[in-house]
Amino acid sequence: MLKGAFQVKRVAKYFCTMTTGASLSRIISLLEAFAPIKYAESWDNVGLLIEPHCKSLNINKILLTNDLTEPVMQEAIEKSTNMIIAYHPPIFAPLKRIIQADWKQRIVSMCLAESIAVYSPHTAWDVVPGGINEWLACALPYKNMTPIRLLSNCSEPNVGLGRIFSTSLMLKEAIAAVQEHIGLDVHVAFGNRHTLKTKIITVAVCAGSGSSLLRGVKADLYITGEMSHHELIEANQNNVSVILCNHSNSERGFLKLFQTKLQEILKNDCEIIISDKDTDPLVTFPKAESKSQIEIS
């Protein structure tokens, strides 16, 4: 009797945790309510990029990833997902054919074969309130946060590129706070007259590759994913310190925040998971450890 009751409870628990799913059109509508694709940069390729041939595709499980690589694609198949939200668009340059010789074309082919839809928000997520740039900026205590550049085609407040704000802490505290926020190491380029004890008052942030937006912005500190050697020299000579997180590491942590947000707006109708295979292509080898790590591998 006890055993049977236990089995009933297990079955009841299983069915209670099952998701009812949501239509692809409903999910896209909710995604674009959060970050309208009209806010994306004109050069970008955003929105629904792959739509399987299915009249009424019901989405039960969504995989969130920063980059849709082949390991992530295989993970999506193994975990029975039927939608992938990839921050960076996996289709950017036009494809002239879908064959197995190229990794991006193989991904498109697998998505179509497995009936997996793919949506990419990219720069639409960058500009909206509560998006990626605000997530990265929130690594530090802030006041008076505004976009560095407002969108010209938008009348909504606080929609724009990058973020700039006031703070009050030493550079070493800012470095530690960013490391804690992204959970990873960072690279630092010091302004000419800066030390670890320099007081930071104004901070400018741009996730990803921020050099073109940050160039000439008056601040004590830039936080971004990547900048070239010459762009770093230019910032340092203007007495601006720079924290570099690596391109995708300045973005990927937002997925955990968005996972919760999407679960709320979908009312838990879909299971939403974050990819375990999505990682930054760069790996940092500390000098003291690099020899032993290479020998072990």
Side-chain angles (χ1 to χ4, degrees):
M1 181 69 181
L2 288 174
K3 184 178 179 181
F6 177 69
Q7 288 292 96
V8 168
K9 286 182 179 179
R10 286 187 61 186
V11 171
K13 183 177 179 182
Y14 171 76
F15 280 104
C16 285
T17 57
M18 288 181 65
T19 58
T20 58
S23 67
L24 179 60
S25 59
R26 178 185 166 216
I27 293 172
I28 291 173
S29 176
L30 292 170
L31 288 171
E32 295 189 4
F34 168 66
I37 59 174
K38 66 181 181 181
Y39 292 167
E41 295 278 11
S42 59
W43 48 261
D44 209 355
N45 190 39
V46 297
L48 183 63
L49 302 185
I50 299 176
E51 182 179 11
H53 181 66
C54 182
K55 291 183 179 179
S56 56
L57 181 61
N58 195 57
I59 306 298
N60 295 104
K61 186 182 288 188
I62 300 172
L63 179 71
L64 304 180
T65 184
N66 202 73
D67 295 289
L68 181 49
T69 59
E70 285 195 284
V72 173
M73 185 69 240
Q74 189 59 42
E75 177 188 18
I77 294 171
E78 290 172 358
K79 293 181 176 178
S80 301
T81 58
N82 38 23
M83 183 175 187
I84 298 171
I85 299 176
Y87 169 69
H88 287 134
I91 302 173
F92 197 80
L95 299 176
K96 294 185 177 180
R97 56 183 60 83
I98 304 296
I99 58 174
Q100 299 302 304
D102 175 81
W103 70 274
K104 285 195 175 184
Q105 293 172 38
R106 286 196 295 272
I107 284 175
V108 173
S109 177
M110 284 188 281
C111 285
L112 295 173
E114 300 289 338
S115 293
I116 299 175
V118 177
Y119 183 95
S120 178
H122 202 205
T123 53
W125 273 9
D126 292 351
V127 300
V128 294
I132 282 185
N133 278 304
E134 285 196 4
W135 166 80
L136 184 58
C138 286
L140 306 184
Y142 63 87
K143 292 181 180 178
N144 306 317
M145 186 187 297
T146 61
I148 294 173
R149 186 189 306 159
L150 290 168
L151 288 194
S152 59
N153 64 339
C154 176
S155 59
E156 296 292 326
N158 298 318
V159 176
L161 302 170
R163 292 296 184 269
I164 189 166
F165 57 90
S166 299
T167 192
S168 180
L169 71 174
M170 289 187 290
L171 178 56
K172 67 178 182 180
E173 294 171 324
I175 294 168
V178 173
Q179 287 176 316
E180 177 69 21
H181 193 62
I182 68 170
L184 295 161
D185 295 326
V186 297
H187 303 281
V188 181
F190 287 83
N192 265 4
R193 297 185 296 279
H194 283 189
T195 69
L196 286 172
K197 294 184 178 180
T198 295
K199 193 70 168 289
I200 301 299
I201 303 299
T202 305
V203 183
V205 171
C206 182
S209 182
S211 55
S212 61
L213 179 66
L214 296 173
R215 188 180 298 117
V217 173
K218 301 297 182 184
D220 303 305
L221 176 66
Y222 294 162
I223 302 173
T224 187
E226 61 179 338
M227 293 176 74
S228 74
H229 170 79
H230 296 290
E231 291 159 346
L232 287 170
I233 293 293
E234 180 70 21
N236 297 162
Q237 293 302 303
N238 288 314
N239 206 38
V240 181
S241 290
V242 182
I243 296 177
L244 297 182
C245 307
N246 286 351
H247 189 114
S248 67
N249 289 342
S250 69
E251 304 158 337
R252 185 172 288 104
F254 175 73
L255 296 178
K256 189 169 183 62
L257 178 67
F258 188 73
Q259 178 188 35
T260 302
K261 185 187 297 289
L262 189 56
Q263 282 175 333
E264 289 175 356
I265 62 177
L266 280 171
K267 304 184 188 304
N268 291 313
D269 285 344
C270 301
E271 182 182 357
I272 302 164
I273 61 175
I274 298 174
S275 171
D276 294 323
K277 300 297 183 182
D278 175 43
T279 59
D280 194 274
L282 287 172
V283 177
T284 299
F285 277 77
K287 184 178 179 181
E289 303 174 13
S290 59
K291 185 177 179 181
S292 61
Q293 286 178 350
I294 292 170
E295 287 175 349
I296 290 171
S297 63

